[in-house]
Amino acid sequence: MNTKRWVALVAAAVLIAFSMGLNAMMAIFKTNFLHSFDTVLPMSGDIVINESVLEHGDGNKRIALLTVNGTIQDLGSGNAWTQVEYDHQLFMNQLEIILVDESIQAVVLAVNSPGGGVIESAAIHKKLLEIKEQRQIPIYVSMGTMAASGGYYIAAPSDKIFALKETITGSIGVIMQGINYSELAEKLGVKFETIKSGPHKDMFGGSRETSEEELAMLQEMIDEMYEEFVDIVEAGRGMSEADVKKVADGRILGGTQALKAGLVDEIGTLDDTIASIRADFDLEEAELFEYAKPEDSLAALFGMKVGSMFGPSLEERFLTRILTTHNAPRAMYLYGDF
């Protein structure tokens, strides 16, 4: 093992010890003096989620500010060397906490996302419905630059939706895309040798033309997911199927257009959304907090620094991603490029 790897190993050991010590100190010495720092919340499975107070107030009546930023996909939680834009499991854990934390009296969900996976979007939607039904607390949504497709899907069950005039939203629908590279392979002299258990095992895989029968199969699947999306909007917005389908053809809308179509309730900022939920539910004195991202902690920042010094190079990380990512076509609630 070369010197660089020995140094990296020692640095990793120091990082682990530092992280454990920091979390222990935060748990033991949580006082009023430390209240402005992160509050450490232990979760099942050794998961730790931090809280950061944004506006001090009544700790028995709190407003949780949640954020979905980026493509809604379960890409894991990253590590000391790499970070993910949206951490699906971390976000789902935050929703689980809200289910059991009775001090939380309202939720503001800030959405800045083009959408993402059908499964991940549905999981968030289901958990938000659980919170509404079990906790009986309001959920308001503030749309940022974009809240399209799956970004709108997760916003639909909320009690009130705010958007900016400049927000790109809508894109209600489902998409599945693949690349047919069979002609290119033929020109390059590449031949595919496939052994399969049935005629459709390699359908939509890119190595051959998709048959009309197979296209019909896929279309039926997409249509079913689309109708589910329409039902979600109907239920969440109290709209008729006909009214939803007027704008549920995949089109995108600006904030003002979405307001006219009934997809959002008001034009306003995140601050407007927070002020509205305070006024509507007598929460003017409530504490406002958010769950801090793991990279906001000192231990994570130290880990990122160590990672930049001793971790894999950019080229190594790129090759690892190529070799470990399975790019099979999948149905998406997504606006924009895959």
Side-chain angles (χ1 to χ4, degrees), residues 63 140 272-285:
I63 301 171
Y140 280 19
D272 294 329
T273 309
I274 295 169
S276 179
I277 205 168
R278 285 188 183 278
D280 293 347
F281 295 92
D282 191 25
L283 294 171
E284 285 85 353
E285 303 301 320

Side-chain angles (χ1 to χ4, degrees), residues 8 50 77 90 96-97 104 120 123 125 150-151 154 160 179 190 192 213 218 221 223 230 275-276 281 293 298 308 328:
N50 301 320
S77 300
L90 178 63
E96 288 287 353
I97 292 175
I104 299 173
E120 294 91 337
H125 176 268
I154 65 173
K160 187 178 286 189
I179 300 175
V190 177
F192 298 97
E213 180 186 11
L218 294 170
M221 181 177 66
D223 289 345
V230 170
S276 179
F281 295 92
K293 299 176 182 179
L298 291 175
S308 66

Side-chain angles (χ1 to χ4, degrees), residues 107-166:
V107 174
V108 173
L109 175 60
V111 180
N112 186 30
S113 171
V118 169
I119 300 299
E120 294 91 337
S121 300
I124 294 174
H125 176 268
K126 180 181 178 181
K127 192 60 63 177
L128 289 173
L129 286 181
E130 284 185 39
I131 291 172
K132 288 186 64 176
E133 294 169 0
Q134 295 183 26
R135 292 293 322 285
Q136 297 291 306
I137 59 175
I139 299 174
Y140 280 19
V141 165
S142 173
M143 293 181 170
T145 303
M146 181 177 292
S149 204
Y152 188 80
Y153 188 102
I154 65 173
S158 61
D159 297 284
K160 187 178 286 189
I161 300 176
F162 285 72
L164 304 171
K165 289 182 179 179
E166 301 81 7

Side-chain angles (χ1 to χ4, degrees), residues 43 95-104 131 134-135:
M43 287 289 292
L95 296 179
E96 288 287 353
I97 292 175
I98 293 173
L99 270 175
V100 299
D101 188 344
E102 296 189 358
S103 71
I104 299 173
I131 291 172
Q134 295 183 26
R135 292 293 322 285

Side-chain angles (χ1 to χ4, degrees), residues 49-283:
I49 296 181
N50 301 320
E51 286 185 4
S52 180
V53 176
L54 302 175
E55 296 177 10
H56 290 280
D58 187 347
N60 295 315
K61 294 172 63 177
R62 304 198 298 158
I63 301 171
L65 174 61
L66 304 181
T67 301
V68 171
N69 185 50
T71 305
I72 304 171
Q73 294 188 84
D74 191 356
L75 299 177
S77 300
N79 50 48
W81 321 121
T82 60
Q83 299 295 321
V84 294
E85 184 178 23
Y86 166 75
D87 189 328
H88 183 65
Q89 290 305 315
L90 178 63
F91 186 73
M92 295 303 295
N93 286 334
Q94 293 172 1
L95 296 179
E96 288 287 353
I97 292 175
I98 293 173
L99 270 175
V100 299
D101 188 344
E102 296 189 358
S103 71
I104 299 173
Q105 297 297 302
V107 174
V108 173
L109 175 60
V111 180
N112 186 30
S113 171
V118 169
I119 300 299
E120 294 91 337
S121 300
I124 294 174
H125 176 268
K126 180 181 178 181
K127 192 60 63 177
L128 289 173
L129 286 181
E130 284 185 39
I131 291 172
K132 288 186 64 176
E133 294 169 0
Q134 295 183 26
R135 292 293 322 285
Q136 297 291 306
I137 59 175
I139 299 174
Y140 280 19
V141 165
S142 173
M143 293 181 170
T145 303
M146 181 177 292
S149 204
Y152 188 80
Y153 188 102
I154 65 173
S158 61
D159 297 284
K160 187 178 286 189
I161 300 176
F162 285 72
L164 304 171
K165 289 182 179 179
E166 301 81 7
T167 296
I168 294 176
T169 188
S171 189
I172 297 172
V174 192
I175 188 170
M176 176 185 284
Q177 287 183 328
I179 300 175
N180 182 356
Y181 47 82
S182 57
E183 290 187 12
L184 175 61
E186 184 177 352
K187 289 180 180 180
L188 295 175
V190 177
K191 295 182 179 180
F192 298 97
E193 296 180 344
T194 304
I195 301 173
K196 52 187 179 179
S197 58
H200 305 300
K201 184 60 179 172
D202 60 344
M203 64 185 287
F204 213 54
S207 61
R208 64 173 177 82
E209 290 283 346
T210 304
S211 69
E212 292 297 326
E213 180 186 11
E214 290 167 340
L215 288 173
M217 294 177 189
L218 294 170
Q219 188 64 56
E220 182 180 0
M221 181 177 66
I222 295 299
D223 289 345
E224 183 179 348
M225 295 177 185
Y226 167 74
E227 292 297 336
E228 175 67 19
F229 199 157
V230 170
D231 290 344
I232 292 300
V233 178
E234 285 181 52
R237 300 299 301 167
M239 298 171 64
S240 68
E241 179 180 356
D243 285 340
V244 173
K245 287 191 172 181
K246 287 179 182 178
V247 291
D249 54 4
R251 73 181 69 182
I252 57 172
L253 302 94
T256 304
Q257 293 173 304
L259 179 64
K260 293 178 180 178
L263 296 182
V264 305
D265 298 290
E266 294 188 29
I267 300 297
T269 64
L270 174 59
D271 287 341
D272 294 329
T273 309
I274 295 169
S276 179
I277 205 168
R278 285 188 183 278
D280 293 347
F281 295 92
D282 191 25
L283 294 171

Side-chain angles (χ1 to χ4, degrees), residues 8-57:
L9 183 61
V10 172
V14 171
L15 172 61
I16 293 172
F18 180 79
S19 179
M20 292 175 63
L22 179 63
N23 287 334
M25 288 173 60
M26 293 298 292
I28 294 172
F29 297 106
K30 179 185 174 184
T31 63
N32 291 333
F33 176 75
L34 292 173
H35 190 63
S36 62
F37 293 88
D38 291 346
T39 299
V40 179
L41 297 177
M43 287 289 292
S44 60
D46 297 325
I47 297 171
V48 175
I49 296 181
N50 301 320
E51 286 185 4
S52 180
V53 176
L54 302 175
E55 296 177 10
H56 290 280

